[in-house]
Amino acid sequence: MTSSRETVLKAVRRSLQADSRDRAAGEAVEARLAEAPAGVVPARARRPHEEQIGLFIEMAEAVDATVERVDRTDAVPGRVADYLRSRNLAHSIVHGADAWIEELPWQTEPALERRQGRAMGDEQAGFSRAFGGIAESGTLVLTSGPDNPTTINFLPEYHIVAIRAEDIDGDYETVLARIRESYGKGRMPRLLNMITGPSRSADIQQTLLLGAHGPRRLHIIVVG
Amino acid sequence: MQITSPRFKLNAREAIADPQLQRALAHVQVGFIEKRSKAAGKLPEFDALRDSSRDIKNHTLANLDLYLEAYEARVTEAGGHVHWAVDAEEARKIILNICQEAGARRVTKGKTMVAEEIALNPYLEERGLEVVETDLGEYIVQLRKEAPSHIIAPAIHVNKDQIEADFRRFHTDLPPERNLEAPETLLAEARGVLRDRFLTADVGITGANFLIAETGTSIIVTNEGNGDLTQTLPRVHIVLASLEKITPTLEDVSQLLRVLARSATGQEMSVYTTFSTGPRRPGDPDGPEEYHVVLLDNGRSGMLGTQFQDMLRCIRCGACMNHCPVYHAVGGHAYGWVYPGPMGAVLTPSLVGVDKAGHLPNASTFCGRCEQVCPMHIPLPKMMRHWREREFERHLAPASARWGLRFFAFFAKRPALYRPLAGLAMRTLGALGRAKGRFRRLPLAGGWTSKRDFPAPEGKSFQAQWAQRRSGR
Ligand code: SF4
């Protein structure tokens, strides 16, 4: 009995007349997979780094994220606490095991409760660190794992994300190339989330409403 | 899903007479079109990206077998399972089997048109599973026991007051006196109701916008975050995707992502673009323990190498229906199957047969707007014409249409006869219609004149004018 796999592949090959396809075709496929040539990259993404950061902030705000920028890493715990207070939220956050997060001077905010681990669904606010940022569309890139569990990106109503200014790049290609460097060619984190603004839906009469199933609000702290 | 495409004409007539539907459809024409054109206008490279996207898909389709194999190898390496399904029946069985092995009772679903294509929900429900749609639009149509009427806005045919009535009917454990006036409260209620379903589901099923051969990754693009909760919380994640979703590399997918959201909703980027590769890894505190991909053919392999191959470039952005005057008039359900609008008019006959869906390619004014806005440059009008030709060849067109065309062809091929006859017809019609400039009724043209007047010809035929201008030079 031929497997469905063979049946499908055979049907595809028959339609494409793959027998008469020359060897160059196979080589072109190999080469494309190996070299991953870049295509058209918008000019707006290719600017000096400081301008990229500005564009990132502008684009993120345009999709209803709130953004603030701090000079020093030390300032982050205070900003997180301020944000929770300003929104009248419970003074607690859930975050992952990210060393950068752990090393923040949390002692400056003794009243802030922190829990390390995944989100369970009853937390008001989650805190993550982004792997990267994409200026051209104001997009955050987060990777799964114990450092920044995926559930934190989606379950809490408020998602606060810190990103180091040096991790902001112009375009998708640059950030994805960094992923390739970190995880190895052909490999990916289990989950890579590109997040552009807080969740929304236009399914009720084409009216755009914020806060569908994911976070209602997204707050970004750019560090550096 | 029951195919009602053969009764398209009747469906369309009913749709036009449905005031609720007509009210809802009014929203399509304004929102989508304006937003898309703004988003495209803001990106100077938009057209270059469309070209690049088309080329990527053409290259991929020409080598689809090779990319499928590369993709499969990567998924397996990452600890996932790829299941190949020749047709809908096989895909349903595979999915049921995975659910049963997992001892599943409740299944959550992100938005997937391919699941509609294989009529997955009724199949699983008949076998004792509870299936919960989690995209707000899909949830609404599920409550209403309807099918989606648009590929990216499933409940676009429903008005707010209808949603409110549905929620009151189904969410009976909530206080009946609650105020659901504002759309925000409806959204909040759906969020609350579905939250519990997400947390207690055993299996999550999503579609895929793209599959990446380089990395064995599946991608979903959403705005609500429901797809992410669907695939992250349950123990098992099943991705259901058709063959043509394959894209070679991360770079290639970056090109496609730049045109997708802009063409669909006019966003620069959808809120959540999620790349999934395999199941939970050692040390991961969350994520599914099993990751399955069901790769569905269901007629696509047969489209390769034919004049319909270009249709497989489609990235399901919905722009063609958003800009289609026929869709604006009749909505999605009239098309009678899963895929409406111009893309459906081409795809449906390919997948279910021209005998059942032969009317759809005729549901076009050939205004060409769909092709103009299609990010993948799919020649939709041309392909609808191909279907019309096939329908004609297979004698599926009504006898009067066939005789009429044969009559026309006879004269058209014989210019010496055609010219004087056309001239005579024009002069006759012109003389008869001179008083009003139009005809309310014409013999043999009832299909036209029952809905609108036929203008009486003025002056000379095109050929006569052309001859005159050329000799005048
Ligand atoms: S045919 Fe083109 S415009 Fe229509 S859904 Fe597909 S990609 Fe979009």
Side-chain angles (χ1 to χ4, degrees):
Chain A
M1 203 187 94
T2 48
S3 67
S4 299
R5 178 183 190 277
E6 279 167 64
T7 310
V8 172
L9 282 172
K10 241 191 218 154
V12 169
R13 291 201 178 104
R14 198 181 321 119
S15 294
L16 291 174
Q17 300 183 311
D19 294 344
S20 55
R21 207 168 41 191
D22 57 8
R23 187 160 310 132
E27 283 162 14
V29 167
E30 294 284 316
R32 190 172 197 102
L33 290 173
E35 289 151 26
V40 178
V41 177
R44 69 153 87 132
R46 286 170 307 199
R47 312 176 171 192
H49 191 238
E50 194 47 41
E51 280 178 39
Q52 282 175 348
I53 297 170
L55 178 64
F56 171 82
I57 294 173
E58 182 192 323
M59 298 303 285
E61 284 176 340
V63 291
D64 306 290
T66 47
V67 189
E68 62 182 318
R69 188 169 179 186
V70 298
D71 296 341
R72 292 149 34 95
T73 312
D74 293 1
V76 174
R79 293 311 175 93
V80 171
D82 284 351
Y83 181 79
L84 297 176
R85 267 191 294 266
S86 71
R87 308 270 157 161
N88 273 326
L89 304 178
H91 217 57
S92 75
I93 51 169
V94 56
H95 63 74
D98 192 314
W100 185 88
I101 295 179
E102 281 298 331
E103 280 159 23
L104 291 171
W106 294 107
Q107 64 281 2
T108 59
E109 293 297 328
L112 180 65
E113 243 176 75
R114 293 185 295 129
R115 183 173 70 75
Q116 200 202 85
R118 57 162 284 178
M120 302 307 294
D122 48 5
E123 304 85 355
Q124 259 192 325
F127 179 60
S128 315
R129 181 168 73 102
F131 173 91
I134 301 166
E136 67 171 291
S137 51
T139 300
L140 291 164
V141 177
L142 290 103
T143 52
S144 63
D147 286 358
N148 290 284
T150 308
T151 37
I152 294 178
N153 305 346
F154 295 99
L155 283 172
E157 287 188 34
Y158 292 77
H159 191 203
I160 307 170
V161 182
I163 177 163
R164 299 186 306 194
E166 72 240 46
D167 293 335
I168 294 175
D169 287 301
D171 48 69
Y172 306 109
E173 285 83 348
T174 310
V175 175
L176 291 170
R178 275 176 46 214
I179 288 282
R180 212 177 259 138
E181 253 167 55
S182 309
Y183 290 81
K185 164 75 183 163
R187 302 224 168 74
M188 291 285 280
R190 178 182 66 77
L191 219 66
L192 180 145
N193 290 121
M194 289 190 179
I195 299 180
T196 314
S199 86
R200 66 201 61 201
S201 172
D203 275 340
I204 300 172
Q205 233 161 264
Q206 296 307 95
T207 318
L208 189 69
L209 303 170
L210 292 189
H213 296 294
R216 295 176 201 266
R217 297 282 178 266
L218 174 66
H219 185 65
I220 305 174
I221 304 174
V222 178
V223 186
Chain B
M1 181 176 167
Q2 182 79 30
I3 302 177
T4 69
S5 308
R7 56 193 290 276
F8 173 77
K9 286 186 179 175
L10 190 64
N11 292 349
R13 219 169 290 148
E14 285 169 6
I16 289 170
D18 178 345
Q20 283 276 21
L21 175 66
Q22 291 301 321
R23 193 151 68 87
L25 285 173
H27 299 290
V28 184
Q29 301 184 36
V30 276
F32 280 129
I33 294 180
E34 207 184 289
K35 284 185 214 144
R36 178 204 166 271
S37 100
K38 263 199 198 139
K42 270 198 276 181
L43 189 69
E45 294 87 354
F46 188 68
D47 279 328
L49 282 160
R50 289 173 66 187
D51 294 349
S52 151
S53 299
R54 172 200 55 208
D55 297 347
I56 289 167
K57 276 285 177 188
N58 279 347
H59 164 78
T60 314
L61 291 171
N63 301 286
L64 191 61
D65 51 329
L66 302 174
Y67 281 117
L68 283 166
E69 285 175 328
Y71 167 76
E72 181 191 35
R74 288 301 191 197
V75 175
T76 314
E77 255 175 51
H81 303 275
V82 177
H83 310 260
W84 301 71
V86 173
D87 55 19
E89 169 77 27
E90 191 175 9
R92 288 192 294 258
K93 279 195 184 140
I94 293 167
I95 293 172
L96 176 68
N97 204 11
I98 299 169
C99 292
Q100 284 174 339
E101 300 248 304
R105 301 239 300 273
R106 177 175 279 172
V107 175
T108 42
K109 272 180 74 211
K111 215 182 98 47
T112 140
M113 292 310 291
V114 177
E116 296 291 330
E117 179 182 327
I118 67 167
L120 183 63
N121 291 10
Y123 181 87
L124 295 181
E125 281 163 358
E126 279 159 25
R127 283 153 190 82
L129 286 155
E130 184 199 354
V131 183
V132 185
E133 293 289 350
T134 63
D135 171 87
L136 178 58
E138 292 281 351
Y139 178 67
I140 292 167
V141 297
Q142 187 183 33
L143 290 184
R144 300 173 61 82
K145 299 198 171 33
E146 290 176 337
S149 69
H150 189 290
I151 60 172
I152 67 159
I156 200 159
H157 60 284
V158 191
N159 291 301
K160 205 209 88 203
D161 39 347
Q162 295 172 293
I163 301 172
E164 180 179 339
D166 293 330
F167 279 17
R168 288 194 188 283
R169 203 150 46 90
F170 284 93
H171 303 161
T172 44
D173 44 345
L174 297 172
E177 68 282 0
R178 68 194 186 282
N179 187 340
L180 289 176
E181 198 48 46
E184 288 82 0
T185 55
L186 290 170
L187 180 66
E189 180 162 317
R191 179 185 165 110
V193 170
L194 285 168
R195 206 23 104 82
D196 166 63
R197 310 282 204 280
F198 282 123
L199 292 164
T200 53
D202 307 294
V203 174
I205 302 176
T206 66
N209 291 80
F210 306 104
L211 305 171
I212 309 180
E214 179 194 358
T215 54
T217 300
S218 58
I219 295 187
I220 57 170
V221 177
T222 72
N223 275 325
E224 296 182 5
N226 65 304
D228 290 278
L229 292 173
T230 297
Q231 65 169 51
T232 299
L233 297 173
R235 215 173 58 68
V236 178
H237 176 201
I238 305 175
V239 179
L240 172 61
S242 48
L243 301 182
E244 80 281 12
K245 299 285 156 75
I246 294 272
T247 311
T249 65
L250 292 166
E251 275 68 10
D252 293 331
V253 110
S254 305
Q255 301 290 293
L256 294 158
L257 286 172
R258 288 195 181 99
V259 295
L260 175 58
R262 289 184 171 93
S263 302
T265 51
Q267 289 166 282
E268 304 263 340
M269 183 77 166
S270 299
V271 178
Y272 301 114
T273 302
T274 301
F275 297 60
S276 315
T277 315
R280 190 188 281 219
R281 297 185 185 168
D284 274 359
D286 48 23
E289 283 156 35
E290 293 174 33
Y291 174 84
H292 299 267
V293 182
V294 180
L295 269 181
L296 177 72
D297 182 343
N298 208 28
R300 274 118 180 134
S301 58
M303 292 167 70
L304 290 167
T306 71
Q307 66 244 78
F308 300 108
Q309 172 167 325
D310 289 348
M311 192 61 225
L312 295 174
R313 291 204 299 265
C314 175
I315 55 171
R316 305 286 190 270
C317 71
C320 54
M321 58 201 75
N322 294 342
H323 291 74
C324 176
V326 178
Y327 184 94
H328 291 166
V330 302
H333 287 156
Y335 290 80
W337 198 52
V338 179
Y339 303 106
M343 58 80 74
V346 175
L347 196 58
T348 306
S350 306
L351 300 183
V352 308
V354 69
D355 50 328
K356 292 205 189 80
H359 286 312
L360 303 188
N362 292 308
S364 161
T365 65
F366 287 98
C367 68
R369 277 208 272 170
C370 50
E371 184 176 357
Q372 267 167 29
V373 296
C374 174
M376 305 306 290
H377 289 300
I378 298 174
L380 294 155
K382 189 177 95 191
M383 286 193 287
M384 282 187 244
R385 254 186 328 261
H386 286 322
W387 275 127
R388 287 192 188 186
E389 282 159 19
R390 286 222 189 161
E391 187 196 18
F392 182 77
E393 278 160 20
R394 295 187 46 190
H395 300 282
L396 291 168
S400 58
R402 269 186 288 134
W403 279 109
L405 281 171
R406 219 168 272 173
F407 184 74
F408 171 78
F410 177 83
F411 286 101
K413 280 186 209 144
R414 292 168 179 78
L417 281 174
Y418 182 89
R419 258 182 246 130
L421 263 178
L424 177 67
M426 278 200 49
R427 282 193 295 278
T428 316
L429 285 176
L432 288 173
R434 192 157 297 145
K436 289 216 179 85
R438 53 187 53 243
F439 291 93
R440 305 219 44 177
R441 232 169 263 131
L442 261 186
L444 298 178
W448 180 281
T449 54
S450 68
K451 298 283 184 300
R452 45 222 176 304
D453 294 347
F454 187 88
E458 287 171 27
K460 296 186 171 142
S461 75
F462 168 77
Q463 289 194 344
Q465 290 183 44
W466 179 248
Q468 209 168 26
R469 288 181 69 176
R470 289 185 51 134
S471 61
R473 270 210 203 134

